[in-house]
Amino acid sequence: MKAEDVKKIVVMGAGDMGHGIAEVALLNGYKVAMRDIEQRFVDKGLQRIEESMAKLVEKQKISEENKKAMLGNIEIFVDVGEAVKDADFVIEAAPEVMDIKKAVFQELDKLAPEHAVLATNTSNMSITGIASITKRPEKVVGMHFFNPAVLMKLVEIIRGDKTSDETMQVAYDVAAKMNKAPVMVEKDSPGFIYNRVQAPTSIFFGAILDRGIATPEEIDAKMRQMGMPMGPYELMDYVGLDVAYHSCLYFAETVSPDYKPTKWLKEKVDAGTLGKKTGKGIFDWSKGRPAIDLAKAKEDFDINDLIAIQVNEATKLLEEGVAKSPDDIDKAMVNGGGSAFGPFQLAKGIGYDKLAEKCEGLAKKFDTDVFKPTETLKKGKV
Ligand SMILES: NC(=O)c1ccc[n+]([C@@H]2O[C@H](COP(=O)([O-])OP(=O)(O)OC[C@H]3O[C@@H](n4cnc5c(N)ncnc54)[C@H](O)[C@@H]3O)[C@@H](O)[C@H]2O)c1
């Protein structure tokens, strides 16, 4: 199958990601079916799409007529068989629970047309594991959109052990047709590309607090001074400290025990102070977004420390064969977050030798192998 053959996309789940992915598909000319387990959930998902499109009309990004035509291209279902009967491409966005994913894929395998590709939007789960429940593992692929799906450009296309080249290419091309920036992930490895390159920063920022090197405000102020719209600690609060905690546990199990949640993070989660959603986390959110005093910026904080550990982690993805090229990693990092440059673009400017030296120092200072420079970083040949 080719991307041109994909006319109808079915989205399983109408929650935060599902309704967003359905909207992106509609905005780019696809016919869409959206399915959830109860009528009120699909109704709510459709309402969210309508509201979002109304905003696009207000901003003059689409016309009222366009909006009407696109909303005419979506059908909503509770019955799985009805939803998938003429699907060419299915994207699953059900809760991140393996038993649910497997149940959904078993049903999809039974009920979706034989030619249909079955994609999962899982953030962390094994594509190979999900595919193994079906009789078409070569047609199962990871398709990791970022939140909010309508705005974020990156889509990671993840290969399971049995995913065929054809399926990878169709998923890549469908994402490109959805006006996204797809990147192929050649191995279904923890955190794929974007979250894996970010992961060591959680050890770094955790250790800064545990060791009293700086306060969250001092670091956030410094990062804001350097042009980041939101500092790392505020971002953690924004996403939820429980999310950060669980992702540390996941990386501790799958990548290195050094990812174990730090003392301060565990204390916050145990106390139920989870950030924005509870009104208090690292910062106080009871009166809205915390006011960060930029005058408190920690002047001697060296941004190259942060770049060094991210470039180093990115070289691991090349060594492990998770990403095909430095350019793919740069593309993922630029389109998945707000930065203007990817890690390898930055490394060229700073110098690999300098970054390797930094990593040596940081590995000793923070007593973790995660920061130890890889051979690739030391040689500076990517
Ligand atoms: N929220 C994010 O930031 C984000 C980002 C990237 C990927 N993801 C991944 O996307 C997936 C969905 O996450 P979400 O944040 O949209 O969750 P959500 O809880 O907002 O939505 C999940 C929806 O799936 C529905 N559902 C449950 N069982 C189902 C079934 N059998 N068939 C169809 N729908 C079913 C639920 O009723 C719910 O409406 C997860 O795998 C998550 O890891 C989430």
Side-chain angles (χ1 to χ4, degrees):
M1 189 169 64
K2 290 202 158 57
E4 296 83 76
D5 305 324
V6 176
K7 306 284 180 234
K8 177 145 185 196
I9 294 183
V10 177
V11 182
M12 299 294 282
D16 287 342
M17 294 307 291
H19 92 276
I21 294 168
E23 180 178 352
V24 173
L26 288 173
L27 288 169
N28 293 284
Y30 286 105
K31 287 203 175 305
V32 175
M34 184 169 69
R35 188 261 163 173
D36 208 305
I37 48 175
E38 287 185 35
Q39 190 61 40
R40 62 192 169 113
F41 297 145
V42 266
D43 287 343
K44 177 79 189 158
L46 182 57
Q47 187 195 336
R48 290 174 79 181
I49 294 174
E50 284 168 354
E51 286 165 5
S52 169
M53 284 194 180
K55 277 198 200 131
L56 294 178
V57 173
E58 250 173 57
K59 289 185 193 155
Q60 298 187 328
K61 297 228 162 113
I62 57 173
S63 70
E64 182 63 32
E65 269 166 30
N66 274 162
K67 181 187 108 181
K68 277 203 186 116
M70 288 188 281
L71 289 172
N73 279 338
I74 182 166
E75 289 180 292
I76 53 175
F77 296 95
V78 172
D79 186 283
V80 189
E82 280 298 306
V84 301
K85 69 174 189 290
D86 49 1
D88 300 309
F89 198 101
V90 184
I91 304 174
E92 167 275 317
E96 189 78 348
V97 177
M98 196 44 137
D99 286 347
I100 297 182
K101 301 277 191 215
K102 287 196 165 171
V104 172
F105 273 77
Q106 231 163 6
E107 270 184 318
L108 289 175
D109 193 31
K110 214 164 55 187
L111 301 169
E114 241 174 68
H115 73 275
V117 166
L118 309 180
T120 170
N121 184 45
T122 181
S123 309
N124 283 319
M125 288 177 174
S126 154
I127 311 301
T128 306
I130 295 171
S132 70
I133 208 78
T134 73
K135 294 195 183 70
R136 56 177 111 177
E138 74 288 353
K139 285 194 155 46
V140 177
V141 62
M143 206 169 173
H144 186 216
F145 287 79
F146 285 66
N147 193 11
V150 175
L151 294 180
M152 303 301 289
K153 291 294 255 182
L154 176 62
V155 179
E156 294 175 321
I157 309 295
I158 306 124
R159 192 190 286 278
D161 280 359
K162 296 195 172 151
T163 312
S164 69
D165 290 347
E166 181 182 307
T167 301
M168 287 292 284
Q169 196 60 51
V170 174
Y172 184 97
D173 293 343
V174 165
K177 279 189 153 201
M178 284 178 157
N179 200 21
K180 295 294 174 196
V183 172
M184 294 221 189
V185 182
E186 290 297 328
K187 260 192 200 164
D188 127 31
S189 144
F192 310 133
I193 295 177
Y194 185 84
N195 288 333
R196 173 72 184 277
V197 174
Q198 291 282 0
T201 66
S202 70
I203 299 180
F204 180 76
F205 288 121
I208 284 180
L209 294 201
D210 267 3
R211 294 168 181 230
I213 293 170
T215 65
E217 191 169 24
E218 285 168 344
I219 298 290
D220 276 17
K222 178 75 184 176
M223 301 296 268
R224 293 265 295 273
Q225 267 187 351
M226 284 186 297
M228 264 181 82
M230 197 182 261
Y233 294 106
E234 187 185 346
L235 184 63
M236 262 188 258
D237 260 358
Y238 183 82
V239 174
L241 296 182
D242 51 336
V243 176
Y245 181 80
H246 285 114
S247 103
C248 286
L249 282 180
Y250 173 70
F251 276 88
E253 269 170 32
T254 54
V255 179
S256 158
D258 292 357
Y259 280 99
K260 195 173 117 236
T262 47
K263 198 169 129 264
W264 71 267
L265 181 58
K266 187 167 181 330
E267 280 169 9
K268 291 274 180 209
V269 172
D270 286 347
T273 46
L274 305 180
K276 185 177 178 215
K277 64 180 137 188
T278 58
K280 197 168 173 12
I282 299 167
F283 297 108
D284 182 8
W285 290 75
S286 58
K287 294 184 192 78
R289 199 178 162 183
I292 306 289
D293 182 356
L294 297 194
K296 293 209 174 120
K298 186 165 172 57
E299 289 310 331
D300 60 354
F301 175 75
D302 185 355
I303 185 74
N304 284 351
D305 285 356
L306 203 52
I307 295 170
I309 58 172
Q310 288 187 291
V311 173
N312 192 42
E313 204 62 21
T315 61
K316 293 180 197 171
L317 294 178
L318 295 176
E319 290 181 353
E320 292 166 16
V322 176
K324 276 197 276 203
S325 70
D327 286 354
D328 274 358
I329 298 179
D330 281 343
K331 181 179 173 188
M333 299 315 291
V334 167
N335 289 291
S339 39
F341 299 102
F344 293 108
Q345 290 164 324
L346 292 170
K348 266 186 216 147
I350 301 165
Y352 284 97
D353 50 342
K354 252 194 208 150
L355 294 175
E357 208 177 291
K358 282 230 162 266
C359 282
E360 289 286 6
L362 289 165
K364 283 202 192 93
K365 180 174 173 187
F366 292 111
D367 190 25
T368 170
D369 287 350
V370 174
F371 298 164
K372 272 199 181 148
T374 61
E375 285 307 310
T376 309
L377 189 71
K378 283 195 268 188
K379 287 186 190 134
K381 280 196 188 135
V382 296

